[in-house]
């Protein structure tokens, strides 16, 4: 589950219409106050069924978080049979429902997976939005709701780094090639997806991965330079297995026209007349 700076869990964004109470209007998914007063308005929120507490050993607190100001508007302990939460709304921005769990008796326990698939720490809180080494080797991701994540996952929203989590086990991708949804992808030692030019583990073949990480194959590409791998910017031919054709002739995108790829890096020198032919010199 996604926690704010106070340790509270953002369990669910509330898409509620407070217009009749607050005089608000929805703009771009956010609740924007249009009333002229900052006096708080009390609103009763029904707790979604999936977030109600049914564990007698756990005390769950609920509240609302103002996403714009990062302020917890209200937080109070609820009994397991409480269905609603009464809160005071007096800030601008999108509100989210918060949950915070702790053991009722105040004692610690061994960390464990509960019956709902949440991983609970020794204090009873649900671990979320974090990486977890399940057996010291296979790494899983706990999502914003505290459950094992699967499929594609953006590991860093700033640098836009992605990884892939096994659809069954949730294990983070291992280094090397992985075939996913009819395409080949290559992952670094860290398990993050690669883009652009790469040299495979053999050290002999060079491949190009597009901006979505998919291996390009059986086509011509216009690629940017990679100085680390010694690949100049320009036009290249990718074979059926995705490897760059490092030398020789290949039929261009124009049928009956052949281009020569220079030895060493496979670059097509478009301004060199010797690299053009109207017949296949290798036929």
């Amino acid at each position: 589950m996604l926690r704010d700076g106070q340790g509270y869990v953002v369990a669910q964004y509330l898409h509620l219409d407070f217009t009749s109470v607050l005089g608000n209007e929805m703009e771009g998914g956010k609740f924007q106050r249009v009333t002229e007063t900052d006096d708080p308005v009390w609103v009763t929120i029904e707790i979604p069924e999936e977030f109600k507490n049914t564990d007698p050993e756990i005390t769950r607190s609920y509240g609302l978080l103002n996403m714009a100001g990062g302020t917890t508007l209200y937080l109070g302990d609820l009994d397991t049979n409480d269905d609603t939460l009464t809160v005071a709304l007096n800030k601008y921005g999108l509100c989210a429902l918060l949950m915070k769990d702790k053991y009722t008796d105040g004692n610690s326990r061994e960390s464990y997976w509960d019956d709902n698939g949440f991983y609970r720490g020794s204090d009873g809180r649900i671990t979320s939005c974090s990486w977890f080494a399940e057996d010291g080797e296979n790494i899983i991701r706990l999502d914003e709701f505290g459950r094992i994540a699967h499929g594609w996952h953006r590991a860093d929203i700033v640098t836009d780094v992605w990884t892939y989590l096994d659809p069954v086990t949730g294990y983070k991708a291992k280094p090397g090639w992985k075939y996913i949804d009819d395409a080949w992808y290559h992952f670094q030692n860290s398990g993050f997806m690669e883009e652009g030019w790469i040299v495979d583990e053999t050290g002999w073949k060079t491949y190009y991965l597009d901006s979505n990480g998919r291996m390009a194959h059986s086509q011509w590409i216009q690629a940017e330079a990679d100085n680390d791998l010694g690949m100049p910017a320009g036009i290249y031919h990718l074979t059926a297995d995705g490897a760059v054709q490092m030398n020789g002739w290949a039929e261009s995108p124009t049928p009956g026209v052949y281009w020569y790829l220079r030895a060493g890096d496979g670059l097509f020198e478009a301004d060199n007349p010797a690299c053009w032919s109207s017949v296949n010199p290798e036929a």
Side-chain angles (χ1 to χ4, degrees):
M1 295 184 177
L2 181 62
R3 296 187 181 276
D4 70 355
Q6 302 177 29
Y8 298 123
V9 177
V10 179
Q12 181 188 19
Y13 290 117
L14 295 177
H15 299 288
L16 302 178
D17 184 4
F18 293 137
T19 304
S20 60
V21 180
L22 297 177
N24 288 0
E25 58 184 24
M26 283 287 284
E27 289 188 1
K30 295 184 177 181
F31 295 106
Q32 182 179 12
R33 283 291 300 273
V34 293
T35 54
E36 296 182 357
T37 176
D38 284 332
D39 293 337
V41 178
W42 291 89
V43 180
T44 298
I45 307 300
E46 182 175 350
I47 303 299
E49 193 67 32
E50 61 270 29
F51 296 120
K52 293 179 182 178
N53 182 30
T54 58
D55 187 346
E57 293 190 1
I58 296 293
T59 298
R60 175 165 293 172
S61 302
Y62 296 89
L64 281 184
L65 174 71
N66 180 279
M67 301 301 288
T71 304
T72 303
L73 304 180
Y74 176 88
L75 197 73
D77 292 341
L78 297 185
D79 295 330
T80 57
N81 59 349
D82 285 341
D83 294 330
T84 59
L85 169 68
T86 301
V87 295
L89 300 180
N90 58 1
K91 299 288 184 179
Y92 294 90
L94 179 66
C95 291
L97 179 65
L98 307 180
M99 300 195 309
K100 181 181 178 182
D101 289 353
K102 63 182 179 181
Y103 287 116
T104 303
D105 59 14
N107 296 324
S108 297
R109 312 271 202 288
E110 291 291 331
S111 299
Y112 69 100
W113 293 97
D114 70 14
D115 293 339
N116 294 316
F118 297 122
Y119 185 78
R120 292 188 178 274
S122 59
D123 59 356
R125 293 189 181 186
I126 295 171
T127 303
S128 64
C129 288
S130 61
W131 296 103
F132 177 78
E134 186 178 42
D135 53 12
E137 178 181 357
N138 292 305
I139 299 175
I140 60 177
R141 174 72 179 179
L142 300 177
D143 65 16
E144 65 270 25
F145 296 108
R147 294 190 174 97
I148 298 177
H150 301 87
W152 287 107
H153 171 72
R154 178 181 283 173
D156 191 318
I157 195 172
V158 176
T159 59
D160 200 29
V161 173
W162 289 79
T163 189
Y164 186 76
L165 309 173
D166 188 274
V168 177
T169 64
Y171 293 157
K172 185 179 181 182
K174 298 293 180 63
W177 292 103
K178 190 172 183 64
Y179 194 67
I180 305 170
D181 297 332
D182 300 323
W184 283 101
Y185 298 82
H186 196 268
F187 295 87
Q188 304 169 346
N189 290 335
S190 61
F192 297 142
M193 184 192 77
E194 296 195 84
E195 300 176 13
W197 292 111
I198 67 164
V199 175
D200 73 355
E201 289 74 13
T202 68
W204 289 98
K205 291 186 176 183
T206 302
Y207 298 84
Y208 185 79
L209 311 173
D210 66 19
S211 59
N212 293 312
R214 293 186 295 259
M215 182 193 76
H217 64 92
S218 306
Q219 66 187 81
W220 292 88
I221 62 169
Q222 176 79 47
E224 297 180 355
D226 188 320
N227 296 327
D228 292 336
L229 297 183
M231 301 296 289
I235 299 174
Y236 294 85
H237 182 245
L238 305 177
T239 59
D241 69 355
V244 175
Q245 182 178 339
M246 285 298 187
N247 58 64
W249 291 91
E251 189 172 21
S252 74
T254 303
V257 177
Y258 295 83
W259 292 346
Y260 183 77
L261 307 168
R262 74 184 185 191
D265 56 23
L267 179 70
F268 167 58
E269 299 176 282
D271 56 354
N272 184 350
C275 294
W276 293 71
S277 177
S278 58
V279 296
N280 185 358
E282 296 181 349

